[in-house]
Amino acid sequence: MAEDFLVVEELKTWFPVKSGLLQRTTGYVKAVDGVSLKLRKGETYGLVGETGSGKTTLGKSVLRLIEPTSGTVILDGTDVTKASKKELKKLRRRMQIIFQDPYASLDPRETVGSTLSEPMRIHKIVSSRNEALKKSKELLLRVGLNEEHLFRFPHEFSGGQRQRIAVARALAVDPDFIVLDEPTSFLDVSVQAQVLDLLRELQRELDLTYVFISHNLAVVQYMSNRLGVMYLGKLMEDAAREVLYKSPEHPYSYFLMSAIPVPDPEFKKETKLLTGDVPSPVNIPPGCRFHPRCPYATEKCKSGVVPYYRGEGPQHNVACHYNVDFERATQTLRPGYAAEVTELASVPK
């Protein structure tokens, strides 16, 4: 069995809440609160959950763009959380991020050529201006753009083209791990498909490892090998893609899967909608944090530590007091759902 490329253990990222004249700390926003996950080389780990669940904060904490409060992040045997500034600069070559908004992530005052060559110069990947220009042209061709685009500014491109430039910038330092923070949410559907296919093609060619963050469950299903379902800073469920989509075992995961639209006007799907709002991350409910909205919650769910139990599939972890069987209920999502998931799992990554 291959060794884990990325190992995150009990990662916490808390932000202090200050109030009063002296700005004393009166509480904490527990954006990420004890998350553990593992990922092998060349795989994609999908993170899903509602807005405010902590997905983006987790991604940035893994890269130390945000300093985590505690926990460890091991990338290919190196402890990222304990790395000095000098060591972290070397690690930056291996770790990159592609942000959600292609309109805000590119400097409007710099040409595309300058945007691509700057990280090469910082990390001393190129030794001359001509070498930087040559590699920049190769990067643009690789992401489906032209050499002439090197001398244009970001405002001269469409959203899909800007996101391709952001992909090229991430690849400029030859990384092997990239966090994708909702990279297609600002794009039209047709353009989304093009960018997703590009990301999968680059992953196969360069043996890249991804953490893919998204609200779109269909997109995550297409991109990921494993999935983590986040709610209020914690992982509610963690499993292989085909296992989680076929038979989710946590109530929150089941409600998310039930909300996936079905492109079949003749099939009448019974959509299970969640009631209530996501609690504040400053005042997290005791016990299972999902219990105020869970129709299956009992008194046991309202206090104590919620255990992780092993689900039906391999490496399937569920944070719930009860091993609730949703397999039969999941079959109502649409006929032949299990066959579709099996077919999807056979698609080469």
Side-chain angles (χ1 to χ4, degrees):
M1 184 177 292
E3 293 184 359
D4 295 312
F5 179 73
L6 176 69
V7 180
V8 179
E9 291 286 351
E10 287 297 317
L11 192 67
K12 295 183 180 180
T13 304
W14 295 5
F15 300 102
V17 177
K18 299 181 181 295
S19 62
L21 186 63
L22 300 178
Q23 289 293 289
R24 291 174 176 166
T25 300
T26 57
Y28 292 92
V29 175
K30 299 179 180 180
V32 178
D33 194 21
V35 171
S36 299
L37 59 90
K38 295 180 180 181
L39 185 58
R40 292 194 179 95
K41 178 71 173 173
E43 289 187 338
T44 300
Y45 189 96
L47 276 175
V48 299
E50 293 173 281
T51 300
S53 60
K55 305 184 299 298
T56 296
T57 304
L58 174 59
K60 291 181 177 180
S61 299
V62 167
L63 300 178
R64 270 186 69 181
L65 295 179
I66 297 176
E67 285 292 336
T69 306
S70 63
T72 57
V73 177
I74 308 295
L75 181 71
D76 198 19
T78 303
D79 192 338
V80 178
T81 53
K82 293 181 180 178
S84 64
K85 288 185 178 180
K86 187 176 181 180
E87 293 170 334
L88 190 59
K89 184 178 178 180
K90 293 181 180 178
L91 283 171
R92 292 289 180 217
R93 279 195 61 177
R94 305 190 64 186
M95 310 183 301
Q96 288 293 302
I97 184 170
I98 298 174
F99 294 99
Q100 177 179 5
D101 184 1
Y103 295 90
S105 61
L106 299 175
D107 190 335
R109 298 166 297 181
E110 289 191 352
T111 63
V112 172
S114 178
T115 298
L116 297 181
S117 61
E118 182 179 11
M120 300 181 202
R121 294 195 304 269
I122 291 174
H123 292 283
K124 300 180 180 178
I125 295 173
V126 293
S127 57
S128 66
R129 190 171 182 177
N130 287 336
E131 188 180 353
L133 182 63
K134 180 182 177 182
K135 184 166 184 180
S136 297
K137 289 179 179 179
E138 292 173 353
L139 286 171
L140 284 185
L141 293 174
R142 172 161 266 172
V143 299
L145 297 176
N146 301 321
E147 294 181 8
E148 62 190 44
H149 292 151
L150 277 174
F151 309 102
R152 297 184 183 179
F153 290 89
H155 71 270
E156 300 179 69
F157 296 93
S158 66
Q161 289 174 319
R162 291 190 195 195
Q163 200 61 295
R164 288 173 183 269
I165 294 169
V167 172
R169 180 179 59 182
L171 297 176
V173 291
D174 301 322
D176 45 21
F177 172 61
I178 302 178
V179 173
L180 302 162
D181 185 11
E182 303 200 46
T184 60
S185 62
F186 272 67
L187 308 178
D188 295 334
V189 175
S190 59
V191 181
Q192 284 186 24
Q194 295 171 12
V195 173
L196 292 175
D197 286 339
L198 170 65
L199 291 171
R200 288 187 61 167
E201 181 183 349
L202 291 171
Q203 185 175 36
R204 286 193 297 267
E205 290 179 359
L206 305 176
D207 196 24
L208 297 171
T209 306
Y210 292 152
V211 168
F212 193 94
I213 300 168
S214 181
H215 287 95
N216 191 325
L217 293 169
V219 168
V220 174
Q221 185 179 19
Y222 178 69
M223 289 293 296
S224 304
N225 301 98
R226 292 189 60 80
L227 272 88
V229 181
M230 284 195 73
Y231 186 79
L232 272 183
K234 274 193 174 294
L235 281 181
M236 298 288 102
E237 191 164 2
D238 172 59
R241 172 191 60 189
E242 56 271 17
V243 172
L244 190 57
Y245 277 86
K246 178 182 177 181
S247 53
E249 294 187 26
H250 194 283
Y252 182 58
S253 303
Y254 170 66
F255 280 109
L256 288 182
M257 301 303 163
S258 174
I260 300 175
V262 178
D264 184 356
E266 296 182 0
F267 176 62
K268 306 299 181 182
K269 187 182 83 167
E270 182 183 358
T271 303
K272 303 290 185 180
L273 297 178
L274 278 172
T275 59
D277 298 320
V278 180
S280 168
V282 180
N283 299 308
I284 293 176
C288 175
R289 21 196 99 186
F290 183 61
H291 85 258
R293 305 173 70 193
C294 181
Y296 307 98
T298 64
E299 288 299 319
K300 186 177 182 180
C301 303
K302 299 177 182 179
S303 62
V305 178
V306 184
Y308 275 94
Y309 71 80
R310 291 289 183 182
E312 293 292 331
Q315 296 183 331
H316 188 179
N317 302 305
V318 188
C320 186
H321 282 294
Y322 303 100
N323 188 346
V324 183
D325 182 12
F326 291 106
E327 186 170 356
R328 187 172 66 176
T330 308
Q331 300 307 314
T332 65
L333 295 180
R334 61 176 167 275
Y337 186 75
E340 292 178 23
V341 173
T342 304
E343 182 180 354
L344 179 67
S346 65
V347 176
K349 295 290 288 179

